[in-house]
Amino acid sequence: MSVLVFAESHDNTFKKPALESVFFGKKTAEKLGTQCVALVLGNAENPGQLGKYGADKVIHLSDASLANFDSQVYSSVIAQVAQATGSNVVVLAHSSNGKALTGRLAVKMNAACVSGVNALPETNGGFTISKSVYSGKATVHYALNAENKIISIMGNSLSPQIIGNDCPVESVAVNIPAAKVKVVNVDRVVGQVPLPEAEKVVSGGRGLKGPENWGIVEELAQVLGATTACSRPVADADWRPHHEHVGQTGIAIRPNLYIAIGISGAIQHLAGVNNSKVIVVINKDPEAPFFKGADYGVCGDLFEVVPKLTEALKKFKAQH
Amino acid sequence: MKILVCISKTPDTTAKISFNGDQTFNAAGVQFIMNPYDEWYALVKALEIQEANGGTVTLINVGGADNETIIRKGLAIGAENAVRINTEPASAMSTAFQIASYAKSQGFDLIFTGKETIDFNAAEVGAMVAEYLDMPYVSFANEMKLNGNTAIIGREIEGGTETVEVDLPIVISAAKGLAEQRIPNMRGIMMAKSKPLEVMDPAPFQDNVTTKQFELPTAKSAVKMVDPENMDELVRLLHEEAKVI
Ligand SMILES: Cc1cc2nc3c(=O)[nH]c(=O)nc-3n(C[C@H](O)[C@H](O)[C@H](O)COP(=O)(O)OP(=O)(O)OC[C@H]3O[C@@H](n4cnc5c(N)ncnc54)[C@H](O)[C@@H]3O)c2cc1C
Ligand SMILES: Nc1ncnc2c1ncn2[C@@H]1O[C@H](COP(=O)(O)O)[C@@H](O)[C@H]1O
């Protein structure tokens, strides 16, 4: 028995969701009194580094046909490796690719599956796990009642920590089916941390009046090392790119710090951000609904407040 | 082109969430809507493809008779017919199993789901249907063109878009951008009343995930207001109290 973690790599490197999955897999394996095996598909630099985050062993399959993602191919390979390693718990990140795999794997392995979990399982007398539902308005606890279990974990649920050293890397023999989905182009914004992974997010709404005013948002984000986001009307008006839109119909995020600037805090916006650990709201309207969901509020004109906050942060950074 | 669109029902986001004890959702007074990803993007894209290439758009829903309001709405927006599998689904897997059991012998070229439901955000059903039917699955499509039997699809990935090519039949989950929301008109609403809605019994299925308990969040402590003239104080609080910088 062991816990198998699918550790995604992009452009040869492991991003935070991969490290988080491995760390989560290790903590789960400890609870179950077993090993944590990480699986790496395609190119990745030094896969043994996953040992630092808890992997007891890495299985690396670098076959060229695994360079691109196809849910059918990947799920087949992951299921074969689970079988070969005797793993009956599989952990994935609740990422774009993870979401395309979780359901497939559950059917393939006849497993009980819960996606987007936010805490480690309870393993005393059964196996239960929780996730946030109804736009953060409730938490549900599920019991997984099958021999095989598949879990995908929501970003920023648990901070990955270095708890070990590089570990051995092995390979196993698998049949790789031919891909039916052909990747023809990948267009990724470079520089910023993608929103679902970001620990700090600075977000702007209609209160900014127009795209020409986004400089103050970007400057604040830069000083903080944060990723920028926006409300839906802002993306709909093409003031900002669509991939920045957070909320019910946009991306759901759970950063440690979310700074909302000129956003009223409509329920559909909150749905995507109210799992953030700390929320700061800057709005000139004391009645703005967002203040009710905030930890810290600043009631004032954003065009004055935001540059002042940026200055204060620069001063703070110079001293620390 | 034979197209199936999977539609689900979800509480409106403004709904007050409560439970009967801690076990089941309290639906009293809650307004339900069609899941926006299903209505705005999956269904409309299916209709656009049907309008351009001919064929049919069928809706499927797994659920009780109370789901017929959203099914009729889907028919009013333009689907030709609908199927309701008469069972309350207890898990994504049971839903997917029922959809796949129906679709298996029907020869659909395209099966659309929404990206995820906005209440449970599982994003599981599409992938599961694809696996049951042994079909390729393209998740979170935000752009799609058909070139004969080949689909060219843009899919959301972290911080960008990946473009893929794949031959039909396929299962696709629809994300924002795939189509523009359509509002049903009077004629559509009238026509929907007489469109076929078939009710079928579920295939036997054994669930392996059970809900143990729902929990409401602990109330957030009141917001701490900071003087707009004193941003050094906000920085101090974020550093010392919230420990996020
Ligand atoms: C089904 C559905 C789904 C939706 N999904 C989403 C979603 O995913 N994400 C989303 O964001 N929205 C979504 N919406 C829209 C949502 O209801 C709100 O309309 C939207 O979030 C409002 O955006 P906003 O806060 O930027 O703009 P507004 O509501 O116009 O708020 C602007 C705010 O800026 C403040 N302001 C103005 N000038 C200044 C200034 N100089 N200084 C400081 N503050 C200032 C104002 O006081 C106001 O509070 C959805 C709506 C529906 C019906
Ligand atoms: N009860 C249901 N009946 C039909 N389709 C459903 C049902 N539940 C979910 N779906 C489809 O599966 C998609 C993803 O749902 P989920 O995996 O639950 O997030 C939805 O957007 C729907 O298209």
Side-chain angles (χ1 to χ4, degrees):
Chain A
M1 204 180 103
S2 58
V3 172
L4 182 69
V5 179
F6 170 53
E8 270 181 74
S9 59
H10 291 294
D11 303 330
N12 280 340
T13 55
F14 298 105
K15 298 274 173 55
K16 195 171 157 222
L19 309 179
E20 209 173 352
S21 309
V22 170
F23 187 66
F24 189 102
K26 176 64 177 180
K27 292 284 152 197
T28 305
E30 280 173 356
K31 287 186 157 222
L32 297 169
T34 175
Q35 275 208 319
C36 170
V37 180
L39 171 63
V40 176
L41 301 180
N43 291 333
E45 203 151 324
N46 182 22
Q49 65 176 293
L50 296 176
K52 291 197 179 82
Y53 296 92
D56 295 294
K57 166 168 105 178
V58 170
I59 293 180
H60 184 201
L61 306 176
S62 57
D63 195 285
S65 61
L66 294 171
N68 283 318
F69 180 75
D70 177 345
S71 67
Q72 244 170 335
V73 175
Y74 270 45
S75 59
S76 163
V77 170
I78 296 170
Q80 290 177 59
V81 174
Q83 174 108 48
T85 52
S87 304
N88 51 18
V89 176
V90 180
V91 175
L92 306 96
H94 196 54
S95 60
S96 306
N97 289 351
K99 289 177 197 172
L101 289 170
T102 309
R104 274 211 107 110
L105 266 177
V107 170
K108 200 180 272 294
M109 295 177 61
N110 197 14
C113 130
V114 177
S115 62
V117 307
N118 61 6
L120 288 168
E122 294 291 338
T123 55
N124 292 333
F127 193 104
T128 63
I129 204 148
S130 65
K131 73 180 271 188
S132 165
V133 292
Y134 298 112
S135 318
K137 288 188 261 183
T139 298
V140 61
H141 298 263
Y142 289 115
L144 284 72
N145 314 313
E147 174 80 9
N148 289 334
K149 300 167 184 78
I150 317 274
I151 302 163
S152 72
I153 58 167
M154 192 75 186
N156 292 336
S157 293
L158 179 94
S159 318
Q161 288 159 27
I162 296 193
I163 50 172
N165 299 309
D166 283 19
C167 68
V169 180
E170 298 171 9
S171 185
V172 297
V174 292
N175 278 321
I176 303 177
K180 293 187 191 149
V181 175
K182 199 167 92 198
V183 175
V184 290
N185 185 40
V186 177
D187 186 5
R188 222 187 272 272
V189 204
V190 284
Q192 282 198 348
V193 181
L195 272 175
E197 293 165 30
E199 287 182 10
K200 300 189 186 94
V201 174
V202 175
S203 189
R206 213 146 45 177
L208 271 126
K209 308 278 186 281
E212 67 282 3
N213 295 328
W214 240 263
I216 55 170
V217 175
E218 284 173 338
E219 206 186 334
L220 174 59
Q222 206 200 340
V223 173
L224 269 171
T227 299
T228 48
C230 68
S231 68
R232 182 169 119 180
V234 163
D236 283 350
D238 279 332
W239 293 0
R240 299 297 292 172
H242 277 288
H243 67 251
E244 283 199 359
H245 156 202
V246 292
Q248 179 200 316
T249 42
I251 298 172
I253 55 172
R254 46 184 302 143
N256 290 332
L257 175 62
Y258 183 72
I259 304 187
I261 302 169
I263 302 176
S264 56
I267 185 94
Q268 296 90 356
H269 183 85
L270 294 179
V273 305
N274 63 5
N275 276 318
S276 308
K277 292 209 179 76
V278 174
I279 295 177
V280 176
V281 167
I282 301 172
N283 197 304
K284 70 173 181 194
D285 173 10
E287 301 298 322
F290 218 151
F291 283 125
K292 289 200 189 68
D295 298 279
Y296 300 101
V298 181
C299 186
D301 184 349
L302 69 90
F303 294 103
E304 288 164 24
V305 172
V306 174
K308 279 190 190 132
L309 176 57
T310 305
E311 279 317 306
L313 277 163
K314 280 187 183 157
K315 210 163 74 191
F316 168 81
K317 273 178 75 176
Q319 288 162 1
H320 287 80
Chain B
M1 199 66 61
K2 241 184 116 159
I3 310 174
L4 182 67
V5 181
C6 306
I7 60 169
S8 53
K9 174 185 85 168
T10 147
D12 185 73
T13 7
T14 54
K16 180 147 175 47
I17 301 298
S18 66
F19 302 95
N20 305 309
D22 59 3
Q23 296 295 315
T24 53
F25 183 74
N26 178 9
V30 171
Q31 157 115 42
F32 287 91
I33 57 169
M34 196 187 324
N35 187 39
Y37 292 106
D38 311 353
E39 179 187 331
W40 302 351
Y41 312 124
L43 174 55
V44 178
K45 188 67 195 182
L47 292 169
E48 286 175 2
I49 293 172
Q50 181 256 327
E51 286 155 11
N53 301 272
T56 54
V57 174
T58 300
L59 302 175
I60 189 166
N61 170 262
V62 183
D66 51 337
N67 286 12
E68 294 196 358
T69 326
I70 64 139
I71 300 176
R72 289 287 172 207
K73 183 169 189 196
L75 293 170
I77 293 171
E80 190 161 305
N81 60 331
V83 176
R84 178 170 67 81
I85 312 288
N86 190 23
T87 178
E88 268 324 317
S91 69
M93 194 117 104
S94 62
T95 305
F97 180 79
Q98 299 304 341
I99 294 170
S101 303
Y102 167 77
K104 204 163 43 193
S105 55
Q106 300 279 331
F108 289 106
D109 302 290
L110 283 164
I111 300 179
F112 281 98
T113 70
K115 169 182 177 174
E116 61 190 20
T117 54
I118 60 166
D119 50 2
F120 280 69
N121 315 90
E124 289 168 17
V125 170
M128 289 172 167
V129 169
E131 184 62 27
Y132 277 124
L133 299 173
D134 196 21
M135 275 162 50
Y137 173 56
V138 181
S139 57
F140 301 0
N142 54 19
E143 210 183 332
M144 174 181 178
K145 284 194 303 252
L146 273 180
N147 184 359
N149 197 42
T150 304
I152 300 112
I153 304 171
R155 63 182 280 261
E156 285 176 4
I157 54 170
E158 280 72 22
T161 305
E162 180 175 274
T163 310
V164 302
E165 262 180 37
V166 55
D167 289 343
L168 308 189
I170 50 173
V171 179
I172 304 177
S173 79
K176 184 183 171 189
L178 190 64
E180 288 278 339
Q181 179 183 7
R182 288 188 188 175
I183 312 288
N185 57 27
M186 214 39 188
R187 184 158 167 270
I189 294 168
M190 292 315 289
M191 278 168 61
K193 294 197 171 123
S194 54
K195 286 181 176 173
L197 193 173
E198 190 184 347
V199 179
M200 293 173 72
D201 285 330
F205 183 80
Q206 181 68 49
D207 259 303
N208 59 19
V209 175
T210 45
T211 301
K212 279 201 72 168
Q213 191 198 349
F214 284 105
E215 211 183 315
L216 294 168
T218 42
K220 217 172 169 114
S221 53
V223 56
K224 199 172 257 186
M225 297 304 289
V226 181
D227 178 1
E229 296 301 325
N230 192 356
M231 285 300 99
D232 289 329
E233 172 64 3
L234 179 59
V235 170
R236 187 192 70 77
L237 288 166
L238 292 176
H239 178 60
E240 290 176 12
E241 191 177 84
K243 300 190 168 54
V244 287
I245 57 169

